[in-house]
Amino acid sequence: MKGKVAVMVEPLKLEYQQYDLPSPEKEALLLKIIRTNVCGSELHIWHGDHPVKKDGILGHEMVGKIEKMGEGVTKDHAGRPIRVGDRVAVTYFQVCRRCNSCVNGEFALCENTYEYFNKQPEESPHFHGAFSTHYYVHPNQFFYKVPDNIPDSVAASANCAISQVLYGIDKAQLKVNETIVIQGAGGLGLYAAAIAKESGAKVIIIDGVEARLKQAKKFGADYLINLHDYDTVEKRSALIKEITNGSGADVGMEVSGVPDAFSEGIHHIRPGGRYISVGNIIIGAFTAFDPGLLTRKSITIYPVNRYQPWFLNKALEFLSSNINKYPFAELVDAHFGFEEIEAALNKSYRREVTRASIVMD
Ligand SMILES: [Zn+2]
Ligand SMILES: [Zn+2]
């Protein structure tokens, strides 16, 4: 039996290749991919802008069905029994449990995290990425059974955006009745709004696109700030102070990926508040920053890169409990077949579609 992989041979060039399906080693799994979504970071890779991934199989957000189980696999990483045919979500990275970060319990920062994701498809077990008919889950990857009430399109995003913002909000310990200001109403911002709302917080969200702000309302945002109506940092900050009885938000969260947004955030947060930095992931993109203001306000910054693997399970539980409360399925607005991945990437890059999903047959 053979499976197919979509390989980026060089930036902007995709090729389909076939390989024999591997038999999973001890503690490993072979999945048949059901759905895979195009993430923003894929677009950086597609255009050659990723720091480590320069070619190979793309794709990391996905949900799959167990096709084969290696010796010793009987339960998922939350202890639930699993069998062939079950839908599972997998951390797209591995935790080696031996590097300095892992030894210190910082699995989110594992220094060998992309060991397999970076391998070339010729190398066994071939299926190193999600833009494939199959996916090989290594013993160092965490996987969780997907609750039945989560549709495929939503489950496919669980292992990236949702887990990451959930981890960030947990790190900053957002509390009941606190106020959070979220900068950016894209996928990350909308998930963050819903999570913050369910934590009992008041949610302020900033974006420049009216349609996104409208959607943010459906995801629990209490206050919407349009960058065009409030067109300076000072105006936005004054409005946030007004909403928060004069002091600023307890927590800020940057999910726009714009370096200047990071500098802006500390203006909106109260003295002693916390700031979660998620969106800016490109190294070497600079912004003017006011360190004196940071010191005087004594804001604690929580950077979030990937997540502790068990947050994937928490993300699935969150989705399962709130599936009818927020329109998660609406976040995917375009569907493509496996042979149309190039179009999915290009249309996503040109922002003709917001969230593209590759549906496998
Ligand atoms: Zn992603
Ligand atoms: Zn490690």
Side-chain angles (χ1 to χ4, degrees), residues 7-15 46 56 342:
V7 186
M8 184 179 92
V9 284
E10 60 184 79
L12 301 172
K13 205 169 167 213
L14 204 69
E15 200 178 281
W46 182 233
E342 211 169 307

Side-chain angles (χ1 to χ4, degrees), residues 94-103 106-107 109-113:
Q94 72 151 344
V95 294
C96 76
R97 293 176 283 187
R98 284 164 181 80
C99 72
N100 196 45
S101 296
C102 284
V103 165
E106 285 282 3
F107 289 162
L109 300 177
C110 173
E111 287 149 44
N112 299 308
T113 199

Side-chain angles (χ1 to χ4, degrees), residues 151 153-154 190-191 211 214-216 218-219 323 326-335 354-355:
S153 65
V154 177
L190 297 175
Y191 287 128
K214 274 198 184 128
Q215 210 172 17
K218 294 191 213 162
F219 279 84
I323 201 71
Y326 302 100
F328 297 112
E330 276 180 26
L331 292 181
V332 168
D333 63 339
H335 299 88
T354 308
R355 199 66 161 181

Side-chain angles (χ1 to χ4, degrees), residues 300-319:
T300 307
I301 298 178
Y302 294 94
V304 177
N305 188 29
R306 298 188 291 276
Y307 52 87
Q308 295 285 50
W310 46 92
F311 274 80
L312 173 54
N313 189 45
K314 291 179 193 287
L316 291 167
E317 283 171 356
F318 174 81
L319 287 170

Side-chain angles (χ1 to χ4, degrees), residues 277-291:
S277 171
V278 188
N280 280 297
I281 50 162
I282 303 293
I283 296 166
F286 296 95
T287 176
F289 185 76
D290 187 347

Side-chain angles (χ1 to χ4, degrees), residues 240-242 244-250 267-271 297:
I240 291 163
K241 284 210 174 94
E242 210 181 293
T244 54
N245 293 327
S247 59
D250 301 289
H267 290 267
H268 303 330
I269 301 168
R270 69 163 167 84
K297 289 180 106 173

Side-chain angles (χ1 to χ4, degrees), residues 107-183:
F107 289 162
L109 300 177
C110 173
E111 287 149 44
N112 299 308
T113 199
Y114 294 135
E115 188 182 343
Y116 304 112
F117 189 46
N118 269 335
K119 278 191 175 167
Q120 293 304 317
E122 300 81 39
E123 226 177 306
S124 177
H126 312 301
F127 298 85
H128 313 301
F131 289 1
S132 314
T133 54
H134 294 75
Y135 184 84
Y136 193 90
V137 183
H138 292 270
N140 283 337
Q141 283 174 282
F142 283 54
F143 63 86
Y144 299 97
K145 198 167 156 172
V146 176
D148 290 340
N149 69 337
I150 305 177
D152 294 332
S153 65
V154 177
S157 280
N159 72 344
C160 188
I162 313 171
S163 298
Q164 207 171 339
V165 290
L166 192 61
Y167 179 47
I169 287 172
D170 185 86
K171 258 184 146 178
Q173 297 186 14
L174 181 68
K175 296 181 191 74
V176 175
N177 292 331
E178 283 194 322
T179 303
I180 184 170
V181 57
I182 299 168
Q183 300 167 276

